[in-house]
Every structure is written in C-alpha cells, then in structure tokens.
Amino acid sequence: MAINLTQRANNRQFTMQTPRILAPLVLSLSIAGWSSGQTTDQAATVGYEQAAAILYNYCAGCHGTDDPEGDFTVSSWQTLMAGTGDGPVVVAGNPQQSRLLQLLGGKIEPLMPPEDEPQPTPEEIALLSRWIEQGAQPAIEPKDAAGMQAGPD
C-alpha cells in the first residue's frame, strides 16, 4: 500500500506516491553501482570456473599440460592446489599468503606473467583474490535429480 504525500506549490496541489519517489533513487543507485563495475553483493561467490578462465588466459601458455615450465600446471584445480616443490601456490582462505597473487602482483620474483606477455587486469586479480579468500573451492559437480553426484561410479 502506497502512502500519499501531498504538497502545495504555486497554488497547485499534487500528490506523489512513495514508490514513485523511491523508484528513481533505487534506479540511480543501481546504475551507479553497475557503471562502476561493482555489484550490490561484493561477497558474491566466485566459482572455480571464473578463476580457471583467468588462469587459462594468462598462465596456461607456459603452465599448461604440455611440458609445463617450473613443473607447475594450472590445467586443473588439483594441480593448482598441489603447488610446486617450493610449496603451495594457493593458500585457500588467505589471498595474502598465496604465492599466485604475490607473483601476479609483482610482490615477489619472477613477475608472472612475464613483462612481455599480456597481463591480467586489476579486476581479474581481485576476482582471483576473492576466489582464494572464499576458500578456493573446486568446480561444483553436476548433481542428478536426487541430489547425488552425477558421473560414473
């Protein structure tokens, strides 16, 4: 139910309903958030698929399945989480301790990807950081109608 507000201006009476007052405000705030690249829910879950797409674009050329450099591959969640002989690359729940983000941010050597290669955007690095902060979860397996994991037994 709308509440009517009545005002007199220039000897005219007009009535505005609260939804008409609020709608432009809500719309303008939504557009402002959308245009700045922010969502209304900054804590939106980041899926492995989103993280993997970034890693594929910037890392798989050297750290793919065929002869990966540094004996490290980003070809799957399992290999990513296995890390290297030097230790973990992703520390689930702790982006600051994750060597992946330290390398991408130029905080430790060597800079990855190398300077002569395309670099991830700050937004892409932030997305990876959120994925790690949220626990660096693997891809969710599809489930059948009974809620059981789909796939071969």
Side-chain angles (χ1 to χ4, degrees), residues 27-111:
L27 180 61
S28 64
L29 291 174
S30 298
I31 291 171
W34 175 75
S35 66
S36 69
Q38 297 178 353
T39 64
T40 55
D41 183 9
Q42 286 297 317
T45 301
V46 177
Y48 170 71
E49 296 80 6
Q50 294 169 286
I54 295 168
L55 296 172
Y56 178 80
N57 285 337
Y58 299 102
C59 308
C62 297
H63 299 285
T65 55
D66 297 332
D67 193 28
E69 292 184 21
D71 292 325
F72 175 67
T73 177
V74 296
S75 61
S76 71
W77 180 84
Q78 290 83 1
T79 60
L80 180 64
M81 299 308 284
T84 69
D86 295 328
V89 174
V90 172
V91 179
N94 194 338
Q96 294 78 16
Q97 294 298 313
S98 295
R99 203 163 36 148
L100 174 69
L101 294 177
Q102 294 172 355
L103 290 164
L104 290 174
K107 295 180 181 170
I108 61 173
E109 294 287 328
L111 175 66

